[in-house]
Amino acid sequence: MKIAVYPGSFDPVTRGHIDILERTSQMFDKVVVAVVHNVTKHALFTLDERKEMIKKSTKHLDNIEVECFSGLLADYLRQKEATIIIRGLRSMVDFEYESQMSMINRQLIPQADTVFIMSDPRYIFVSSSGVKEAALLGGDVSSMVPPLVEKGLQEKIKQIKI
Ligand code: ADP
């Protein structure tokens, strides 16, 4: 059984992430989305909120699992018996960082490989941080995130402005 892990902050999940999941769910028996607690990034959504939004946006895919995790990705892969790390690529900037991370992970867990998936051209400019900034300033982000995420963003913005 080929199990892949797709780690990321997903704060919040975008149509770019969903597209990667739709494509990789066809390639592997199971894809585990690992919602990472990132100490260096201040998150807008809680880990549980992010997890729920991914779960609901991937209901149409039957081999996706969503979990929260903190710690070393290599340990998590061993725990999940996964041998593939999925990462999306949008630009050379992504590539520089991602290639370095993949080499570090290769040292830490040689039996696993990172598989890079090029972003769909429709979503190449879409990032969680860009979506948050645009939404906070009142921009229409409906083409970049699933409808339930758009709703979640509106609710967060209301709370922030109170
Ligand atoms: P991280 O904080 O780990 O970068 P993100 O949630 O920003 O987490 O992204 C998770 C993964 O999804 C990364 O590999 C990132 O490059 C990829 N990704 C993000 N946005 C897109 C997009 N629009 N198209 C394709 N891949 C994307």
Side-chain angles (χ1 to χ4, degrees):
M1 181 144 140
K2 272 265 167 254
I3 304 173
V5 170
Y6 183 29
S9 314
F10 305 103
D11 183 41
V13 67
T14 68
R15 288 185 191 260
H17 296 129
I18 303 292
D19 173 64
I20 298 285
L21 282 167
E22 283 170 347
R23 290 154 66 192
T24 51
S25 73
Q26 310 277 315
M27 297 174 194
F28 307 109
D29 298 302
K30 185 161 87 177
V31 178
V32 184
V33 185
V35 186
V36 181
H37 170 66
N38 192 333
V39 279
T40 61
K41 285 189 188 173
H42 174 73
L44 180 64
F45 292 95
T46 66
L47 278 176
D48 277 340
E49 286 169 338
R50 286 181 258 162
K51 178 176 146 184
E52 279 313 303
M53 287 191 286
I54 302 169
K55 268 194 173 169
K56 287 179 182 154
S57 322
T58 55
K59 265 201 306 221
H60 58 300
L61 305 169
D62 59 14
N63 58 346
I64 307 276
E65 241 177 51
V66 192
E67 286 189 355
C68 300
F69 115 98
S70 61
L72 192 66
L73 184 60
D75 292 338
Y76 187 73
L77 288 165
R78 282 189 199 97
Q79 184 198 322
K80 291 275 138 197
E81 297 182 351
T83 53
I84 307 284
I85 303 164
I86 297 167
R87 295 292 285 176
L89 288 182
R90 287 161 294 185
S91 63
M92 287 307 286
V93 181
D94 272 355
F95 177 78
E96 281 203 13
Y97 171 75
E98 295 293 346
S99 56
Q100 193 191 357
M101 281 311 298
S102 76
M103 286 181 242
I104 292 174
N105 280 319
R106 185 111 189 107
Q107 292 289 316
L108 296 175
I109 179 162
Q111 66 271 35
D113 254 310
T114 304
V115 171
F116 296 109
I117 308 289
M118 266 322 286
S119 176
D120 185 286
R122 283 173 298 171
Y123 307 125
I124 215 129
F125 65 94
V126 176
S127 67
S128 298
S129 53
V131 161
K132 282 185 281 191
E133 199 173 336
L136 280 166
L137 296 171
D140 177 2
V141 293
S142 56
S143 60
M144 301 177 231
V145 294
L148 69 99
V149 173
E150 199 190 350
K151 228 174 119 211
L153 279 163
Q154 296 311 330
E155 279 161 20
K156 279 280 171 200
I157 291 166
K158 259 193 238 151
Q159 287 170 17
I160 290 170
K161 289 189 175 159
I162 285 170

